[in-house]
Amino acid sequence: MKLDTKAALKHFKQHDEVMADLLEAALQGDVPLNLPTPKQPQEYFGSIASSIISQQISVAAARSIKSRVVDLLGVITPESVTAADFLELKSCGLSEKKTQYLKHNAEVWSEIPIDDFLTMDDEDIIKELIKLYGIGRWTAEMFLMFSMARPNVYSYGDLGLTQSLYKNYNYKPHYNRKIESTVNSWSPHKTIASLTLWHTKDN
């Protein structure tokens, strides 16, 4: 199943009027709602590396460090990271820990069944990805959304999504059942709902 705003809007109109209104506004706004496109399996390692580089630093800092890493390696692949000198890689602006994560993940990458990801379900992919150093559930969910364009992903651990949900639905943090029921009502279009919540927050 692909990301499909028409099908999602039709579903939301039947199951969640608030989300239907938010999506309509996002589609008609000055800043268009961007839908991710699936990457090729050979690009997955680069996505994971970018996620590690970006952790706990600003977007601008992450962009600058990644640019230096690309200058050093050419393309960020398991082979180029494995071949790189540890201190040279670290000198791109990476912390000791992030450099260790990248080196370790490059070495074990062949154990991750990336060629099977297209036929695996979301939870099984998450289980594989969190075996890697520096990859938690949130990062794995972002990978599903933005690298694989999986259609039915919502991240309960994402602060931006949580804040937008509270604001647009007038929910409080202790409304656990209401929140879960709302998120489940978006299925099988949770990813478009997530993108809509982020878009609404940013615009």
Side-chain angles (χ1 to χ4, degrees):
M1 182 176 161
K2 288 182 177 178
L3 294 174
D4 182 341
T5 51
K6 279 186 183 173
L9 186 58
K10 185 180 176 185
H11 176 86
F12 298 151
K13 280 181 174 175
Q14 292 170 339
H15 299 278
D16 184 344
E17 287 284 338
V18 175
M19 183 51 70
D21 290 344
L22 291 175
L23 178 56
E24 275 194 314
L27 292 171
Q28 291 163 12
D30 295 335
V31 182
L33 181 73
N34 260 338
L35 297 184
T37 52
K39 293 182 176 177
Q40 296 301 312
Q42 63 266 28
E43 298 175 280
Y44 292 168
F45 182 81
S47 295
I48 292 296
S50 294
S51 297
I52 290 169
I53 291 167
S54 304
Q55 284 168 3
Q56 297 173 323
I57 57 175
S58 71
V59 172
R63 197 176 289 129
S64 172
I65 293 168
K66 187 183 174 187
S67 172
R68 291 198 287 272
V69 171
V70 169
D71 285 344
L72 175 69
L73 302 179
V75 183
I76 303 175
T77 64
E79 295 77 21
S80 66
V81 171
T82 301
D85 177 76
F86 185 94
L87 291 177
E88 268 196 280
L89 190 56
K90 187 181 173 216
S91 72
C92 295
L94 293 164
S95 66
E96 181 96 5
K97 190 167 273 187
K98 286 184 181 180
T99 312
Q100 287 170 350
Y101 289 169
L102 289 177
K103 294 291 276 182
H104 172 269
N105 292 343
E107 285 164 18
V108 302
W109 188 249
S110 61
E111 297 166 24
I112 306 294
I114 58 166
D115 291 329
D116 298 330
F117 276 12
L118 291 177
T119 56
M120 286 166 66
D121 69 32
D122 293 346
E123 281 302 318
D124 287 337
I125 293 171
I126 289 171
K127 279 178 195 164
E128 289 296 332
L129 291 176
I130 61 176
K131 291 176 185 175
L132 297 165
Y133 283 9
I135 303 298
R137 185 176 181 90
W138 177 84
T139 306
E141 287 165 342
M142 295 305 110
F143 176 89
L144 287 173
M145 281 195 218
F146 294 103
S147 294
M148 296 194 72
R150 283 289 174 104
N152 203 33
V153 184
Y154 177 83
S155 177
Y156 282 97
D158 188 273
L159 186 63
L161 287 179
T162 303
Q163 288 173 341
S164 190
L165 183 66
Y166 290 170
K167 185 180 177 190
N168 288 292
Y169 287 80
N170 200 23
Y171 285 171
K172 299 283 191 292
H174 62 276
Y175 289 7
N176 292 331
R177 272 194 194 157
K178 269 189 178 178
I179 291 166
E180 192 175 341
S181 171
T182 298
V183 171
N184 287 340
S185 77
W186 301 332
S187 187
H189 302 284
K190 289 181 188 174
T191 298
I192 286 177
S194 299
L195 295 168
T196 302
L197 287 173
W198 277 315
H199 185 276
T200 305
K201 186 175 181 292
D202 294 339
N203 298 283

